[in-house]
Amino acid sequence: MGTITKGQAHFLLLKIHSLTGLVPIGVFLIIHLLINSLRTVGVLPYQWSIDVINNLPFLIWIEVFFIYIPLLFHSFMGFYIAWGGEKNLFRYPNPRNWMYTLQRVTGGVAFLFLAYHMGTTVAPKLWYGHHLFEAAPFLIDVMNQEFATWTGRIIYLVGILSVTFHFANGLWGFCVSWGIIVGPKAQRNASIVFMLFGGVLMVLGFATVLEFSLHPVNVEPTFKGTF
Ligand code: HEM
């Protein structure tokens, strides 16, 4: 039993970076886009889904440990890999090179989008103390305002496009680097499947933006008072 070397620690950090992109961040993204797309079904199912989430016990701790810490780790490690001394580590033969460049660019855009998105939703919700059943009317009002202007819509369309591409292409990279997909033919087929999957997620997000833009509806809290 020796101590862990610098190289091993580095390798471990890269593996954790790769894993956090899938679990919990990727899983969160799928659930998040699905839940938000409930808005296309109707405003009530959407409101109830926000009610369920905002009434979960220990919500803040679930968010801190399953969303914020993995997201911060994945983002900063991603910046380090992309712009630090790691440029040669993941060099793929052509034509994967340009996909890797796009992966870096969309990672940066996704980071900026998330800072904006959380700054306009979760941050004011916590700051103004809209908890439990007060959260849904507040957040739905925020989203209605976001999608009332072309600036807001474009920020979201670019954000969703970047995030879904980054996730789909990242899934491919994950499967290759963990030895799940081996061989050029399997890798080529897998990249098509993952891109289609990313496309489905993107459509879910775009449909939500369209619904909010076309039919902004304000809601009252589902339940007023205390239990
Ligand atoms: C149609 C597009 C989207 C809509 C309408 C939307 C809506 C929302 C809302 C209302 C919240 C606040 C939830 C709450 O505090 O209860 C939220 C939080 C959040 N969103 Fe989105 N979102 C969208 C796209 C995305 C995308 C593409 C990502 C990329 C990962 C994302 C990541 C997050 C994160 C990390 C949070 C904070 C999680 C939390 O604290 O619960 N969102 N979003």
Side-chain angles (χ1 to χ4, degrees), residues 2 5 22 72 88 131 171 182:
T5 66
L22 180 63
L72 277 177
N88 297 325
H131 301 298
L171 268 181
V182 193

Side-chain angles (χ1 to χ4, degrees), residues 25 28-29 32-33 36 46 50 53-54 63 67-68 71 113-114 117-118 121-122 125 135 139 143 147 156 159-160 163 204-206 208-209 212:
I25 302 171
F28 166 79
L29 175 67
H32 191 60
L33 288 178
N36 278 295
Y46 186 59
I50 300 180
I53 293 169
N54 280 277
E63 288 175 334
I67 305 173
Y68 304 143
L71 205 51
F113 167 71
L114 278 181
H117 180 50
M118 289 165 68
T121 54
V122 189
K125 182 193 82 173
L139 289 170
M143 299 319 292
F147 298 121
Y156 271 81
I160 293 166
V163 171
L204 274 183
F206 280 15
T208 311
V209 174
F212 266 111

Side-chain angles (χ1 to χ4, degrees), residues 59-70:
L59 176 65
I60 190 71
W61 295 111
I62 296 172
E63 288 175 334
V64 166
F65 286 105
F66 291 98
I67 305 173
Y68 304 143
I69 292 178

